[in-house]
Amino acid sequence: MSAILDIELIRTFHTVARSGRFKAAAEQLHKSPAAISVHIQRLEAVAGGRLFDRDNQSVALTVLGKRLLRSTSELLSTHDRVLAELHGPRLVGRIRLGIPDEYAAHVIRDILPVFAAAWPNVVLEVKTASSYTLRDQVQAGKLHAAVLNLPLQQREPRAQALVATTPVWVAAASHPQPGKGIIPLAIHAADCPYRSLMLESLKVAGHTWRVVLESPSSQAIRACVESGLAITLMDRAKMSSAMRIVEELPQATEHQVVFLRSSRARDNEAIELLAQAIHQHFRL
């Protein structure tokens, strides 16, 4: 019998590749880690080789895995689009979604239009704010769901992991390394996890600093860093070519981007479909 690509196995594979962990993929797909392993083993049997190199902490795509990821991305998107076209008109509702500023452009530009086209009778209302503010509003029922960046140790019961990220200190590529004097900072708005991490880690390490820029805008912070006026803490994947990592400052703790839904929206089909879309397409 000819080999068949099972769409469920492909979805599991993409989720593991995106999250970098079997456990995180299991949480996103509401399956056990053992079931995730079985899915990957079955897909590897079809693909004819290993798809991941694994250790105790994370997984990395093999050459075969990278090739399969590229070749099945459109397959998975087409499957979901066709399914949505068949069922889209029947789904109605309203979703109030929160997104931190640093991820807003990506989610609004690359993910929400796809969701809106598939489910035209679901009304989207989007709010941007810092992660802790959005978390509080989800918990209070003011938002149905939100994308959040939280320290890895701050587990939220209803949160589904999207990607892990370790923030790094960055400065302008053309700017000299900060000396032992006062460190110029561009800091995020209050209730941002990176702001708290920046100030607390510098304090513990005995550094002194001055705030050059305090802003809720990731674009303003990026401009301040690239101009050489200050340094900041950001996701490594969001560094531009005009930035470089500052090695001398305290190493930051690992964080996780998650999708958190309100307890009142636990069984909401529209929010479940939005969660699936964000899980599939979210990238740092």
Side-chain angles (χ1 to χ4, degrees):
M1 179 183 291
S2 299
I4 297 175
L5 281 175
D6 186 323
I7 199 70
E8 186 178 12
L9 304 186
I10 294 297
R11 191 179 304 283
T12 298
F13 167 64
H14 276 253
T15 305
V16 173
R18 182 177 61 250
S19 64
R21 291 181 174 83
F22 275 52
K23 183 178 179 182
E27 292 175 353
Q28 291 181 29
L29 297 174
H30 307 292
K31 299 181 185 298
S32 68
I36 298 298
S37 294
V38 169
H39 280 198
I40 298 303
Q41 290 169 6
R42 288 170 57 191
L43 189 58
E44 287 177 335
V46 174
R50 292 183 65 82
L51 300 174
F52 294 105
D53 291 323
R54 314 172 198 186
D55 59 31
N56 292 332
Q57 298 298 323
S58 61
V59 298
L61 286 164
T62 63
V63 173
L64 177 61
K66 292 177 181 177
R67 200 166 77 233
L68 184 64
L69 188 70
R70 288 194 301 268
S71 61
T72 56
S73 293
E74 184 59 30
L75 172 65
L76 190 58
S77 296
T78 300
H79 169 273
D80 291 347
R81 185 172 63 251
V82 171
L83 198 62
E85 289 173 354
L86 293 174
H87 299 288
R90 68 171 173 80
L91 186 67
V92 297
R94 181 181 301 272
I95 300 176
R96 296 189 301 276
L97 175 69
I99 314 170
D101 179 75
E102 58 266 35
Y103 309 128
H106 166 48
V107 174
I108 293 170
R109 181 183 60 239
D110 302 326
I111 302 177
L112 297 188
V114 177
F115 177 85
W119 310 103
N121 294 322
V122 176
V123 177
L124 290 169
E125 298 175 356
V126 180
K127 175 176 182 177
T128 63
S130 59
S131 287
Y132 288 150
T133 297
L134 294 175
R135 181 189 61 182
D136 293 345
Q137 293 187 2
V138 170
Q139 293 173 342
K142 296 179 180 179
L143 293 172
H144 293 114
V147 174
L148 307 174
N149 185 342
L150 299 175
L152 195 59
Q153 67 271 20
Q154 291 186 14
R155 303 285 294 178
E156 290 291 336
R158 292 179 303 278
Q160 294 171 281
L162 296 176
V163 293
T165 177
T166 300
V168 293
W169 292 96
V170 295
S174 59
H175 200 61
Q177 292 276 23
K180 297 184 178 180
I182 299 175
I183 298 174
L185 294 182
I187 63 173
H188 304 267
D191 289 337
C192 173
Y194 285 0
R195 174 194 174 111
S196 304
L197 178 59
M198 289 170 69
L199 301 182
E200 183 61 28
S201 62
L202 290 177
K203 180 180 179 181
V204 170
H207 292 287
T208 56
W209 65 88
R210 63 184 178 88
V211 176
V212 175
L213 173 70
E214 179 179 3
S215 174
S217 167
S218 59
Q219 291 300 316
I221 290 175
R222 177 181 294 269
C224 190
V225 172
E226 291 178 340
S227 68
L229 292 175
I231 66 172
T232 196
L233 197 66
M234 67 165 52
D235 297 322
R236 181 188 294 265
K238 289 190 168 293
M239 288 179 60
S240 72
S241 59
M243 299 176 183
R244 60 170 175 77
I245 295 176
V246 179
E247 302 284 359
E248 291 78 9
L249 295 179
Q251 185 175 359
T253 56
E254 189 173 12
H255 281 57
Q256 197 169 49
V257 183
V258 302
F259 182 84
L260 178 68
R261 69 190 74 193
S262 167
S263 59
R264 304 175 190 178
R266 183 171 49 190
D267 299 320
N268 187 300
E269 183 180 4
I271 294 173
E272 177 59 33
L273 290 167
L274 177 61
Q276 291 176 13
I278 292 177
H279 285 151
Q280 179 177 340
H281 298 291
F282 186 87
R283 300 287 186 274
L284 286 178

